[in-house]
């Protein structure tokens, strides 16, 4: 059962990334983006041996990608449904409400969208916290930023570890991060700007409450990074046809 759930979730999230990428690049580049996502996913999940968490991650990524595609198409009620479903697996689903909020702030969507997504996320979260009560101090690993952010703790071993972990993240994204940044900086697509701002918020949250060395936590970025990297490559090819 677990293998089936993981397989379906991975296949569905790959399809959603393809659908989103197809709104930015050619179909061939969108297919390449989906293939790249599969390679990146394999690298992310093989980096750590805590397989007990993986099913939650597959489902959380699926829900976030579904929310992104739904909001891209203006279906905020589908995005709220994705947030509701994803919240049962992991808190990553709150990013859907963030994205809807940025769209509302920028006047591209009514405030009903972020409110609905926020409520949809809150209901499962409150139910789960009622079933499995815990003080707020134990809802997340709040002190992980001391290990993720270099020089917060002035101990040579801790500094070395945080630098090594951040280098691991940079190597994971590799040249895709640079290409995506170039494309995002020039884009006139307002939704892409909102998605970038949402994931910037996720950077703050992730570096505060997760171990960044566990690369599976970075997979939500791929819905933006990989398609934008492909878009930048296509733009370079159009500029230099001889390539």
């Amino acid at each position: 059962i677990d293998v089936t759930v993981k397989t379906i979730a991975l296949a569905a999230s790959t399809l959603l990334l393809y659908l989103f990428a197809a709104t930015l690049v050619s179909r061939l580049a969108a297919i390449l983006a989906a293939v790249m996502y599969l390679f990146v996913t394999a690298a992310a999940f093989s980096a750590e041996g805590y397989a007990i968490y993986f099913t939650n991650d597959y489902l959380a990524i699926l829900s976030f990608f579904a929310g992104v595609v739904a909001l891209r198409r203006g279906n905020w009620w589908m995005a709220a449904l994705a947030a509701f479903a994803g919240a049962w697996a992991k808190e990553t689903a709150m990013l859907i409400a963030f994205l809807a909020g940025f769209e509302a702030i920028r006047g591209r969507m009514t405030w009903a969208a972020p409110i609905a997504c926020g409520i949809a996320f809150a209901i499962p979260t409150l139910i789960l916290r009622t079933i499995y009560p815990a003080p707020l101090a134990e809802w997340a690993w709040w002190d992980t930023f001391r290990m993720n952010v270099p020089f917060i703790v002035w101990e040579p071993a801790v500094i070395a570890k945080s630098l090594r972990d951040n280098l691991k993240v940079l190597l994971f994204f590799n040249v895709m991060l640079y290409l995506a940044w170039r494309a995002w900086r020039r884009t006139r697509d307002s939704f892409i700007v909102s998605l970038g701002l949402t994931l910037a918020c996720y950077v703050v949250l992730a570096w505060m409450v997760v171990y960044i060395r566990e690369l599976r936590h970075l997979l939500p970025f791929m819905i933006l990074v990989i398609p934008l990297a492909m878009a930048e490559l296509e733009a370079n090819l159009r500029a230099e046809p001889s390539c």
Side-chain angles (χ1 to χ4, degrees):
I1 294 173
D2 186 56
V3 171
T4 301
V5 171
K6 288 175 179 175
T7 303
I8 293 174
L10 176 60
S13 63
T14 305
L15 174 61
L16 290 168
L17 186 140
Y18 165 79
L19 293 174
F20 181 75
T23 67
L24 300 172
V25 296
S26 66
R27 289 188 178 182
L28 176 59
I31 292 172
L32 292 175
V35 173
M36 179 62 71
Y37 171 68
L38 291 173
F39 279 112
V40 168
T41 302
F45 281 106
S46 64
E48 294 291 336
Y50 305 122
I52 191 173
Y53 300 120
F54 289 0
T55 305
N56 286 50
D57 286 296
Y58 278 114
L59 294 173
I61 294 164
L62 171 59
S63 71
F64 176 57
F65 285 11
V68 170
V69 172
L71 290 173
R72 177 68 158 173
R73 298 182 174 184
N75 296 331
W76 60 264
W77 61 273
M78 285 293 294
L81 181 61
F84 178 82
W88 295 100
K90 201 174 180 182
E91 291 83 356
T92 308
M94 75 170 64
L95 296 177
I96 300 172
F98 281 24
L99 177 56
F102 280 117
E103 286 287 89
I105 290 172
R106 306 179 74 242
R108 289 174 41 83
M109 194 165 286
T110 66
W111 280 100
I115 292 173
C117 291
I119 293 173
F121 169 77
I123 292 173
T125 302
L126 293 175
I127 293 174
L128 289 173
R129 291 306 176 185
T130 301
I131 298 173
Y132 306 105
L136 182 61
E138 296 181 11
W139 279 22
W141 297 334
W142 303 107
D143 289 337
T144 52
F145 77 95
R146 295 163 61 87
M147 292 179 287
N148 292 334
V149 181
F151 307 111
I152 294 292
V153 178
W154 282 92
E155 296 179 11
V158 177
I159 293 174
K161 184 181 183 305
S162 62
L163 290 173
R164 184 171 64 249
D165 290 346
N166 280 273
L167 178 60
K168 182 179 180 180
V169 171
L170 291 176
L171 289 173
F172 178 63
F173 284 106
N174 214 282
V175 71
M176 290 191 302
L177 189 61
Y178 170 70
L179 294 172
W181 165 250
R182 288 186 57 180
W184 187 82
R185 187 180 58 183
R186 295 197 312 270
T187 188
R188 296 182 180 179
D189 189 327
S190 296
F191 185 83
I192 297 300
V193 175
S194 295
L195 183 54
L197 294 173
T198 299
L199 292 173
C201 294
Y202 183 58
V203 169
V204 177
L205 293 172
W207 261 249
M208 285 182 61
V209 301
V210 303
Y211 292 118
I212 59 172
R213 72 170 188 268
E214 299 176 13
L215 298 177
R216 57 195 171 85
H217 297 301
L218 305 180
L219 288 174
F221 290 100
M222 295 306 163
I223 190 72
L224 180 66
V225 171
I226 296 179
L228 284 187
M230 292 296 171
E232 184 66 13
L233 289 175
E234 281 199 323
N236 291 339
L237 288 173
R238 285 194 298 269
E240 300 181 31
S242 61
C243 292

